[in-house]
Amino acid sequence: MITSTDPLSLDLALEAELSLRRLARRLDAFWMRLRVEETNIVRVEFEERLQEYWSTLFQLLFELYGSRYDFIYHLECTLEILIEAWVSRDPALQKVDRQRINHPDWFESERIVGGALYVDLFSENLGKLRQCIPYFQELGITYLHLMPLFAVRPGNNDGGYAISNYRSVDPRLGTIDDLKALAADLREAGICLVLDFVFNHTSDDHQWARAAQGGDREFEQYYYIFPNAEIPSQYERTLREIFPAVRRGNFTRHDGMGKYVWTTFNSFQWDLNYSNPSVFNAMLNEMLFIANTGVDILRLDAVAFIWKQMGTSCENLPQAHTLVRAYNLCARIATPGLLFKSEAIVHPDEVVRYIDPMECQISYNPTLMALLWESLATRKTDLLVRSLSHRHRLPSGTAWVNYLRCHDDIGWTFDDADATAIGINAYDHRQFLNAFYTGQFPGSFAHGIPFQHDVKTGDMRISGTLASLAGLEQAIERNDERLKELAIRRMLLLQGLTLSIGGIPLLYMGEEWATLNDYDFVKDPAKAGDTRWVHRPKMRWEYVQELDESMSQDTSLRKRVFRSLQRMIRLRKANPAFAAQEMELMQQPNSHLFAFVRRHLGNQTIVIANFSEDAQTMSGNVLRTFGFGRFFRDQLTDRTIGTSESISIDPLQLMWLVRA
């Protein structure tokens, strides 16, 4: 006889089987209400996947909610949500699901090249974005990430991350039907669609939050709401502040309720209470609704913060991983073509823990991003090499998303121990990088601006576009042709590395035109307090018209960057060695150089990058022994290189070497 709900004393596989068997009659009735017969292929496929994943899903949910008296009720709700999502899924999406079940590594292809954008800033609305598909195809984009486009609170909404309604598109951008039409067009064009799933919090004007404000105790349990400051003050002892320059602490007193609400990010973003299984199911319903619009990948926003526990930092807790794994299995059952992308801008050791075929199949690579900028500032690759030597490798069936800029700031998320191992004081080095990229360090080429500068701790992050941080803004201000050339080389060097190092390269749209900082954001009261808007400029469509026209010097710079990036994308997509993740660092003594070998299914390419403004040399014998050959062709210059003598690498040059 079972006398305990302690998971250690239960045979959870057996309990999973028994629970499903006990629910079978009720689920049969649910299928009938949906008018799906037992022999219908839609039901057959679903039940095959349910049998495959049910035991593991049950155990994860039991770990989170098994001690609750109403666990079986919530379990039944979960199953009904999954069934309804699959039954209502468009047959075109079900066809894609079947293809991806058979080819689960589809996202590891060298042909996947990403772009990210805000719809309103790029094309005004979703309807006009459909007209931009030929532009994406010309550049070579096959993965399109749209920044949050769902209905948000008026005024400050954290750049779209304060969601009022997950089932309604911001009316300024269009409708859900517009989103579905865009997804269908992208699918037809071979471009996968990526959207954000903001699931740590909702806006304070979401219907659940409004119900809580109205005194509905059921919906008060959807959030962390306290009658006074006693418990919040106990939590605060171990919590860090995310936006210290905006406000102090992680709780907000709501005057209307006279109560305190957990608000990790902004006072208008209410953290959801995932210890409540009703919240798990409510957000599962929203997630699957979004998936059924035609989304291929969901970026899980602020994933590190989704579970709270007194006496901890409330970041990266084990239950956060359990939650994501449960959602992953739900997707495998109901929307099996869907992938998760992790957004955890935390310590490198924590970032990698979210990356797994059963959790988040792909993840942003904030450490690589930060260290590429670090190498550009120092002209040295020691810290980059040290970190990648033990941090690049991922589990099979997963991939990094490699980026240089995004909608967010740059934080120096390298590991202090890695810095110490090569004689760098991590705190001092971060202060140097902050000074360098805000243009305060003597000789800096960068024109970034501070984000969330905490004078007390010295912590700071950096805002700015790729071009402005790489020196182009300074070069244009000084009208210096040599500085312009160096800036362009820096941009192409970094972009070429993200295209070749392993994983999915992601451009922040505008980088292809070397877009500079847009300081006019301060004219908008809703944006003026957030310096990240400096690197969120509007798309300048006149640039496209200039591609084939007689142009001024500034315009020719833009054309050169666009055409160079377009060509690198084309070369990447034609090189099978750039698929998947395998990457071997090349050990060589020149700390200005960064070199590695990419291999995949018998294909091989050697990548060499010079982070110095001076020419550098590498032993030809190093190239011969790593590349197993005497002659190589640089795909980027079409020049043949022999290994009998030292190889010269031009200032800020990138080389993609294949056997000649």
Side-chain angles (χ1 to χ4, degrees):
M1 175 181 290
I2 294 173
T3 59
S4 170
T5 57
D6 180 353
L8 296 178
S9 66
L10 293 176
D11 181 343
L12 289 179
L14 174 61
E15 295 303 315
E17 180 184 348
L18 293 176
S19 296
L20 191 58
R21 192 186 305 166
R22 289 163 183 160
L23 288 169
R25 183 174 298 177
R26 297 175 64 85
L27 294 178
D28 283 341
F30 188 72
W31 282 106
M32 294 306 295
R33 287 200 298 274
L34 296 176
R35 299 182 179 179
V36 180
E37 299 292 337
E38 188 173 356
T39 56
N40 188 309
I41 186 62
V42 169
R43 179 169 176 177
V44 171
E45 290 177 324
F46 178 92
E47 291 184 338
E48 286 176 353
R49 295 194 299 272
L50 182 62
Q51 287 297 327
E52 181 177 358
Y53 298 118
W54 172 248
S55 180
T56 306
L57 176 59
F58 177 90
Q59 292 177 55
L60 294 172
L61 294 176
F62 188 90
E63 177 185 335
L64 295 170
Y65 308 119
S67 62
R68 289 183 59 107
Y69 75 94
D70 54 356
F71 174 63
I72 195 70
Y73 162 77
H74 291 287
L75 205 61
E76 181 180 353
C77 291
T78 301
L79 287 165
E80 289 182 352
I81 291 168
L82 298 181
I83 291 170
E84 189 162 15
W86 173 245
V87 170
S88 62
R89 193 158 168 81
D90 189 295
L93 299 179
Q94 292 179 339
K95 180 180 178 181
V96 173
D97 291 330
R98 296 178 187 109
Q99 293 169 347
R100 291 179 179 170
I101 288 171
N102 292 325
H103 301 283
D105 61 349
W106 65 272
F107 61 93
E108 299 181 59
S109 169
E110 70 277 8
R111 300 191 62 78
I112 302 294
V113 177
L117 57 86
Y118 277 99
V119 174
D120 58 334
L121 298 175
F122 191 82
S123 63
E124 295 185 13
N125 57 54
L126 292 170
K128 291 183 179 179
L129 189 60
R130 293 172 66 188
Q131 300 170 20
C132 300
I133 290 176
Y135 174 78
F136 300 132
Q137 291 176 308
E138 180 182 8
L139 182 58
I141 298 299
T142 55
Y143 163 121
L144 187 64
H145 182 170
L146 308 183
M147 294 294 104
L149 45 73
F150 295 102
V152 293
R153 71 190 301 274
N156 186 0
N157 52 57
D158 190 25
Y161 288 91
I163 305 295
S164 299
N165 188 338
Y166 293 91
R167 298 185 179 229
S168 176
V169 169
D170 185 330
R172 294 168 294 184
L173 304 180
T175 66
I176 284 292
D177 286 340
D178 291 331
L179 177 59
K180 291 179 179 179
L182 171 66
D185 287 355
L186 290 171
R187 191 161 56 249
E188 181 68 24
I191 301 173
C192 62
L193 176 61
V194 187
L195 292 184
D196 288 78
F197 184 45
V198 183
F199 82 136
N200 175 70
H201 48 260
T202 73
S203 170
D204 58 1
D205 68 345
H206 189 282
Q207 63 178 356
W208 304 336
R210 291 200 310 270
Q213 292 166 40
D216 189 322
R217 296 184 65 185
E218 178 181 1
F219 286 99
E220 284 189 14
Q221 294 178 0
Y222 273 45
Y223 302 95
Y224 290 90
I225 298 176
F226 304 94
N228 53 51
E230 180 182 355
I231 294 177
S233 65
Q234 294 174 29
Y235 275 109
E236 288 283 17
R237 294 170 189 163
T238 53
L239 301 179
R240 68 182 175 111
E241 295 174 330
I242 305 304
F243 293 148
V246 174
R247 66 187 188 91
R248 311 304 301 194
N250 291 267
F251 295 84
T252 299
R253 187 181 188 278
H254 189 275
D255 291 336
M257 293 190 297
K259 297 179 180 180
Y260 286 79
V261 184
W262 198 315
T263 55
T264 296
F265 294 94
N266 289 288
S267 60
F268 50 81
Q269 292 167 304
W270 289 18
D271 286 37
L272 287 161
N273 177 9
Y274 279 98
S275 67
N276 179 355
S278 292
V279 171
F280 178 91
N281 279 331
M283 290 301 285
L284 174 62
N285 225 336
E286 304 305 87
M287 181 187 84
L288 296 178
F289 175 85
I290 295 171
N292 278 350
T293 63
V295 178
D296 299 281
I297 299 170
L298 284 177
R299 169 189 175 271
L300 304 186
D301 180 62
V303 68
F305 299 89
I306 58 177
W307 195 270
K308 326 294 189 188
Q309 184 174 315
M310 183 74 76
T312 73
S313 67
C314 297
E315 296 182 45
N316 307 302
L317 296 180
Q319 295 90 337
H321 295 279
T322 303
L323 266 172
V324 177
R325 286 175 176 263
Y327 278 124
N328 178 302
L329 288 174
C330 287
R332 284 174 177 256
I333 294 166
T335 56
L338 182 71
L339 297 184
F340 287 169
K341 174 164 65 170
S342 165
E343 190 261 358
I345 312 303
V346 290
H347 188 279
D349 289 344
E350 296 294 343
V351 171
V352 75
R353 293 189 178 120
Y354 292 93
I355 310 170
D356 188 274
M358 301 305 291
E359 196 160 339
C360 292
Q361 296 92 340
I362 61 178
S363 171
Y364 282 116
N365 195 348
T367 305
L368 176 67
M369 178 273 296
L371 291 178
L372 288 175
W373 287 109
E374 187 272 345
S375 295
L376 209 61
T378 61
R379 284 76 166 179
K380 297 286 186 70
T381 65
D382 301 320
L383 188 53
L384 175 65
V385 170
R386 167 72 186 180
S387 180
L388 292 185
S389 68
H390 63 115
R391 297 193 187 280
H392 183 76
R393 189 178 301 276
L394 290 178
S396 177
T398 63
W400 287 117
V401 176
N402 301 310
Y403 65 106
L404 302 168
R405 295 300 300 112
C406 64
H407 73 288
D408 220 339
D409 55 274
I410 297 175
W412 307 112
T413 56
F414 55 82
D415 178 40
D416 289 6
D418 284 339
T420 300
I422 57 173
I424 292 175
N425 179 291
Y427 178 85
D428 291 345
H429 199 52
R430 289 188 177 94
Q431 299 309 303
F432 156 71
L433 291 170
N434 286 331
F436 188 94
Y437 280 105
T438 54
Q440 299 172 40
F441 189 83
S444 169
F445 50 74
H447 270 28
I449 58 177
F451 176 70
Q452 293 296 317
H453 185 198
D454 188 334
V455 178
K456 183 174 67 175
T457 64
D459 184 50
M460 179 196 297
R461 282 105 82 189
I462 303 297
S463 296
T465 68
L466 170 66
S468 290
L469 292 174
L472 188 59
E473 185 175 330
Q474 180 193 82
I476 290 174
E477 285 181 353
R478 297 182 182 181
N479 195 26
D480 187 313
E481 296 303 317
R482 176 179 172 275
L483 294 183
K484 291 178 185 178
E485 175 65 24
L486 291 175
I488 291 174
R489 289 188 176 209
R490 291 187 194 103
M491 287 185 281
L492 296 177
L493 175 76
L494 296 186
Q495 287 170 327
L497 285 171
T498 61
L499 285 164
S500 58
I501 198 166
I504 299 171
L506 180 65
L507 310 176
Y508 188 61
M509 301 305 293
E511 290 176 3
E512 73 273 27
W513 296 109
T515 304
L516 301 179
N517 286 346
D518 179 8
Y519 298 99
D520 285 344
F521 78 93
V522 297
K523 297 177 182 178
D524 184 341
K527 299 177 180 178
D530 187 343
T531 62
R532 293 174 297 180
W533 285 105
V534 80
H535 56 251
R536 300 170 182 172
K538 282 191 173 183
M539 172 65 176
R540 300 281 296 275
W541 284 103
E542 61 268 28
Y543 293 168
V544 180
Q545 299 169 4
E546 295 169 355
L547 279 175
D548 298 319
E549 296 175 5
S550 172
M551 298 172 294
S552 67
Q553 180 62 32
D554 284 348
T555 307
S556 68
L557 291 178
R558 292 193 292 264
K559 179 176 180 179
R560 176 181 167 191
V561 170
F562 183 92
R563 292 300 188 200
S564 297
L565 181 56
Q566 182 186 47
R567 181 169 179 269
M568 284 195 292
I569 291 172
R570 186 170 64 248
L571 289 170
R572 168 195 159 86
K573 292 165 78 172
N575 188 343
F578 289 151
Q581 285 290 137
E582 183 179 349
M583 186 273 290
E584 179 186 6
L585 291 169
M586 292 173 59
Q587 302 302 317
Q588 50 81 38
N590 189 333
S591 63
H592 297 295
L593 299 179
F594 177 49
F596 55 88
V597 186
R598 293 297 318 284
R599 298 187 181 95
H600 184 67
L601 299 180
N603 301 281
Q604 175 178 283
T605 299
I606 292 176
V607 177
I608 304 173
N610 178 8
F611 277 85
S612 169
E613 285 95 343
D614 299 314
Q616 301 294 319
T617 60
M618 174 186 281
S619 164
N621 192 54
V622 170
L623 182 59
R624 180 185 64 81
T625 54
F626 273 92
F628 310 120
R630 295 174 52 233
F631 295 96
F632 295 84
R633 180 175 61 85
D634 180 9
Q635 290 189 308
L636 299 177
T637 62
D638 210 28
R639 183 165 63 97
T640 299
I641 296 168
T643 60
S644 59
E645 298 178 351
S646 292
I647 302 158
S648 178
I649 302 102
D650 290 340
L652 298 167
Q653 183 182 7
L654 178 71
M655 306 174 83
W656 288 353
L657 302 177
V658 296
R659 286 277 302 272

